[in-house]
Amino acid sequence: MTYTVSVILGVLAAVVVDLWILRTRLLTGVVFWATYPIVLLFQLLSNGVLTGRGVVRYADWTVLGLRIAYAPVEDLLFGFALVLLTLSVWVWLGRRTPAGR
């Protein structure tokens, strides 16, 4: 399985968890989309440094080849899935915790 395929499956899984399993629906809110560019900026900075300096390398056959700030676009999708899944679980757990605990 290539990195591209695994990233696409990861994004789809994170979306399913957010919208239908945990029903946190972060993707439908303005707050997520208003703050995600901040995460994306720092992801591009750190990813650009790591891939631009050759600390992290990808085999050409595992990625599409489209790069943004030296990083494969798959890395941005992976970061999106990671952030969405983490925030979805965080919000879901927060709703289950009684106030004051």
Side-chain angles (χ1 to χ4, degrees):
M1 178 183 307
T2 66
Y3 185 40
T4 304
V5 172
S6 61
V7 163
I8 291 170
L9 292 174
V11 168
L12 291 174
V15 169
V16 166
V17 167
D18 175 54
L19 297 177
W20 294 292
I21 295 176
L22 299 181
R23 296 183 180 156
T24 50
R25 293 184 174 79
L26 297 176
L27 289 175
T28 63
V30 174
V31 172
F32 178 84
W33 294 109
T35 56
Y36 186 71
I38 298 167
V39 173
L40 186 60
L41 171 70
F42 286 100
Q43 183 183 2
L44 284 170
L45 286 172
S46 61
N47 223 331
V49 168
L50 292 173
T51 55
R53 292 183 169 242
V55 175
V56 177
R57 296 183 185 160
Y58 298 91
D60 291 336
W61 63 271
T62 62
V63 295
L64 292 173
L66 178 63
R67 293 179 179 263
I68 300 172
Y70 298 105
V73 71
E74 288 90 345
D75 278 358
L76 300 179
L77 293 173
F78 173 77
F80 174 82
L82 182 68
V83 168
L84 177 60
L85 185 60
T86 302
L87 290 176
S88 294
V89 170
W90 181 281
V91 168
W92 182 75
L93 287 173
R95 289 178 183 169
R96 294 181 44 137
T97 305
R101 279 188 143 198

